[in-house]
Amino acid sequence: MEELRVLVPNGMLGYGFPLEDFERGIKRQPHGIVVDAGSTDSGPQKLALGEMTCPESAYYRELATMIPAAKEAGIPLIISSAGGDGTNEHVDLFVEMAEQIANEQELSLQVAKIYSDIPKNQIDSALQSDKITEMQNVPQLTQEEVEQATVVTAQMGAEPYLALLEANNQPDVIIGGRTYDPAPTAALGMYYGFDPALAWHMGKIIECGAICCVPAEKTVLGTLRQDHFLIEPMSPHSKAMPHTVAAHTMYEKSSAFNLPGPGGTLNLENCEFKAENDRVTRVSGSRFIKDENYTVKLEGAKVVGYRSITVMGVRDPILIDQVDEALAYVREQTKKELPEEYAQSQIIFHPYGKNATMKNLESLADEVGHEMCVIAEVASPTQEMAQLVVNRIRTTLLHYGYPGRVATSGNIGMPFTPLEIPLGKVCQFNVYHLLQIEDPIKQFPATVQEVGK
Amino acid sequence: MTQLRDYARVIRSKNSGPFELTFDILFDNLEDYEHFVASKVLTKESFAKLYQIKVSDIITFEYVKPARGIKITIPRPWSQGSVGESDMHGSQQYANLLTLEIPEK
């Protein structure tokens, strides 16, 4: 095969895409459609609570377009990190959606699914045999933390996808659990015999759709050849330019030159980004350096309590001048009046107008606005307790007779009811570690089923 | 003197995973990029000072010529999305960089 064309309708399943760009891409006769659905960006609560990144209807709508298009073209559709977190539960839900679509549109489909949940007893024994290392800036993993995590997934590499593509009866649709984003494209590249390094690098760029183009769009076509690959947006108004594609290689990554993933590191030090024409960029020179031991990244999150907030506006300059002292007083009073609850709670003030967003990274720490919004955040073992503590914080600041006060009717402006707002469970990433595994295929169990007519 | 906000094309910050913050500064053309690099306005030391962290905390400090840009990665000062979070995506942490003074060419 001379070239492999991979169509990515959008960088994140569920975020939408222009139908005309997708159709333009299908007309280019791609050899596969790949869409990633995963992210940790919206925080730990989705993984900890089993929530998905987008509403089910958003996923359904897009799958209902892509599945028949892929089936008609006779090419595989690969969805990775189902639901965002890629848990087995969400993989199953995506397979159910595929079945429903097959029934509705009278299609007969081979649907494969790959699980990525890691049994906790495997993690425990890996801990005991030193096969787990923490990522930089992450605390060492303990058995207790593993237990507290709702579910632990691992980011699979290309191997489980490659095994399915190589199967006698190649599936029409592959629904993958938690996956390193470029892996499905890398698997397609390897399946058709292309340089794995170029396939990994192309996957890294196109997994975000046409974000690497100007203006940033949704749908992108990656064309992989023997010694280079091409990036082309499917919107005719958008361009992939060498420096924008190169810049995208940096996006959300620790390094622009070394991108570690399952099984090895993509090294881009000798890469060249050149204009193929005014809207297509050619990339070459990528290298893939295999690890001696195969590792995958574990992800887990736990529930740490319940959170309540109160939102308070401050306009009085006399109070703004001493807001740090006033908040310290409120904290001290709360501790005195509710010692047991205080001991079990975390209280964080977000003083918007004074370093709330950047905290200790702020360089303009002493420049304060003429008005402020102070949000008090309280996390406690129960919602009731969080409500109690945040109520005490609000009422204490409301009536505090701070030095120099001239107004005695109330110190804060309150925009919302309820005045104390319960936010429900609060979560935290507590597993973000590398696990050494023996077999990158067997670790992620795959099954194929026939759905539809 | 020009400020970086008027000199660079892109100045951004973002999570790189839940435990790191990464900063990208990208320029319109190679000439602007090279002038910025040569000016040494932004070094590991000046970045650490601006963000009030230790030089040894900086995980990555890379000049990325093909992208006409500079990449800097540091540990996330607080774990993403946990109690006290103020910037879930880390996307507002670049603000200190906007007013860096660039010498004239």
Side-chain angles (χ1 to χ4, degrees):
Chain A
M1 184 154 116
E2 258 176 41
E3 61 174 39
L4 165 73
R5 291 178 297 278
V6 180
L7 180 65
V8 177
N10 55 5
M12 179 76 83
L13 188 75
Y15 281 13
F17 56 90
L19 209 52
E20 58 271 28
D21 290 355
F22 177 70
E23 281 161 2
R24 213 171 277 121
I26 289 291
K27 284 204 182 99
R28 299 288 291 275
Q29 298 183 303
H31 303 90
I33 302 175
V34 166
V35 196
D36 179 56
S39 183
T40 54
D41 249 354
S42 40
Q45 84 283 358
K46 294 202 163 127
L47 181 55
L49 304 180
E51 295 167 355
M52 297 196 293
T53 304
C54 299
E56 202 176 317
S57 57
Y59 296 127
Y60 190 86
R61 189 187 301 240
E62 291 175 22
L63 290 172
T65 301
M66 293 177 198
I67 288 176
K71 177 73 182 172
E72 197 187 328
I75 57 174
L77 168 66
I78 308 181
I79 307 291
S80 53
S81 298
D85 55 10
T87 53
N88 294 358
E89 183 191 344
H90 292 150
V91 169
D92 288 338
L93 180 68
F94 273 43
V95 171
E96 275 171 38
M97 282 194 254
E99 182 169 13
Q100 204 178 329
I101 290 162
N103 289 332
E104 267 174 23
Q105 304 197 23
E106 297 185 352
L107 303 168
S108 168
L109 294 177
Q110 296 283 336
V111 179
K113 63 179 177 186
I114 314 170
Y115 280 157
S116 63
D117 288 9
I118 303 289
K120 287 188 176 175
N121 56 15
Q122 184 190 348
I123 304 175
D124 288 343
S125 51
L127 266 178
Q128 280 156 23
S129 50
D130 285 331
K131 292 205 165 142
I132 291 188
T133 44
E134 57 270 19
M135 305 279 287
Q136 197 159 2
N137 197 26
V138 180
Q140 211 179 347
L141 191 60
T142 61
Q143 207 168 346
E144 197 187 346
E145 289 294 337
V146 175
E147 208 138 294
Q148 286 175 6
T150 314
V151 54
V152 180
T153 62
Q155 282 195 359
M156 70 183 85
E159 293 83 355
Y161 291 96
L162 183 56
L164 284 168
L165 292 170
E166 284 170 344
N168 287 334
N169 198 0
Q170 195 186 73
D172 302 298
V173 178
I174 302 175
I175 306 288
R178 189 64 174 130
T179 303
Y180 184 48
D181 299 354
T185 296
L188 278 166
M190 291 176 211
Y191 173 66
Y192 284 106
F194 290 89
D195 175 7
L198 289 171
W200 277 113
H201 192 188
M202 186 168 96
K204 156 65 192 152
I205 294 174
I206 63 176
E207 63 94 358
C208 286
I211 284 190
C212 61
C213 304
V214 183
E217 286 285 347
K218 298 275 178 100
T219 309
V220 74
L221 186 76
T223 301
L224 183 57
R225 295 182 182 154
Q226 292 309 321
D227 61 353
H228 68 272
F229 64 87
L230 304 173
I231 300 294
E232 178 183 356
M234 287 297 97
S235 160
H237 313 293
S238 178
K239 296 174 176 180
M241 291 188 285
H243 69 283
T244 64
V245 173
H248 186 72
T249 307
M250 300 162 75
Y251 186 62
E252 293 182 321
K253 287 282 159 190
S254 303
S255 160
F257 297 120
N258 286 293
L259 285 65
T265 296
L266 183 61
N267 179 286
L268 307 176
E269 279 163 308
N270 300 325
C271 258
E272 281 195 83
F273 300 84
K274 283 185 175 162
E276 181 79 358
N277 59 45
D278 70 340
R279 50 187 306 283
V280 179
T281 285
R282 169 198 283 246
V283 185
S284 61
S286 328
R287 290 184 295 160
F288 189 80
I289 300 158
K290 271 194 178 174
D291 289 339
E292 255 176 54
N293 295 314
Y294 197 104
T295 58
V296 286
K297 186 161 69 188
L298 301 177
E299 289 176 354
K302 64 177 179 181
V303 175
V304 293
Y306 291 79
R307 180 155 56 178
S308 291
I309 57 167
T310 185
V311 180
M312 307 176 282
V314 184
R315 178 61 183 83
D316 184 333
I318 305 166
L319 177 54
I320 287 178
D321 276 350
Q322 51 183 311
V323 71
D324 292 344
E325 292 81 4
L327 294 178
Y329 168 84
V330 170
R331 185 184 289 276
E332 209 43 47
Q333 277 303 110
T334 309
K335 188 177 174 182
K336 265 189 215 159
E337 293 170 21
L338 301 169
E340 278 175 33
E341 291 82 358
Y342 183 89
Q344 296 177 66
S345 301
Q346 282 175 270
I347 298 172
I348 313 269
F349 292 113
H350 300 265
Y352 286 96
K354 195 174 185 186
N355 317 330
T357 307
M358 294 186 62
K359 300 184 183 180
N360 49 334
L361 297 181
E362 177 62 63
S363 63
L364 302 177
D366 299 324
E367 289 188 22
V368 180
H370 71 268
E371 67 181 346
M372 290 179 67
C373 171
V374 181
I375 297 178
E377 171 186 1
V378 174
S380 306
T382 65
Q383 192 76 68
E384 165 69 24
M385 192 190 291
Q387 288 287 99
L388 170 67
V389 175
V390 87
N391 171 273
R392 190 60 52 92
I393 287 170
R394 184 182 63 78
T395 51
T396 303
L397 185 59
L398 181 64
H399 295 298
Y400 172 38
Y402 53 90
R405 180 166 80 153
V406 295
T408 54
S409 56
N411 302 328
I412 54 177
M414 293 172 283
F416 301 123
T417 48
L419 300 173
E420 291 88 26
I421 306 167
L423 291 186
K425 287 174 179 166
V426 56
C427 307
Q428 186 184 324
F429 284 115
N430 68 336
V431 185
Y432 202 70
H433 295 74
L434 293 176
L435 167 71
Q436 192 182 318
I437 59 169
E438 297 303 322
D439 187 330
I441 297 175
K442 280 198 189 129
Q443 180 65 56
F444 301 97
T447 48
V448 184
Q449 64 195 87
E450 195 168 332
V451 301
K453 67 172 182 190
Chain B
M1 297 286 252
T2 316
Q3 291 192 335
L4 190 58
R5 57 189 287 179
D6 300 317
Y7 187 81
R9 160 59 64 98
V10 173
I11 307 170
R12 67 188 178 199
S13 59
K14 187 88 202 304
N15 298 335
S16 53
F19 296 93
E20 289 179 3
L21 271 180
T22 193
F23 300 82
D24 299 333
I25 305 169
L26 303 165
F27 299 92
D28 259 334
N29 54 61
L30 213 51
E31 193 191 332
D32 286 357
Y33 162 78
E34 281 174 348
H35 174 69
F36 183 75
V37 172
S39 77
K40 300 215 165 116
V41 166
L42 195 64
T43 59
K44 271 189 164 184
E45 287 70 26
S46 67
F47 184 89
K49 196 171 167 210
L50 192 59
Y51 279 85
Q52 300 141 90
I53 60 173
K54 286 185 268 173
V55 174
S56 58
D57 283 343
I58 295 176
I59 297 168
T60 302
F61 192 100
E62 292 171 341
Y63 297 105
V64 191
K65 198 173 167 186
R68 304 167 191 168
I70 292 166
K71 172 172 263 314
I72 301 143
T73 303
I74 63 170
R76 214 175 190 283
W78 54 93
S79 134
Q80 187 208 3
S82 52
V83 178
E85 177 61 86
S86 62
D87 187 0
M88 186 69 80
H89 292 180
S91 57
Q92 283 294 301
Q93 303 300 314
Y94 61 87
N96 288 335
L97 297 164
L98 294 171
T99 48
L100 278 181
E101 299 272 357
I102 318 300
E104 299 296 328
K105 277 178 202 166

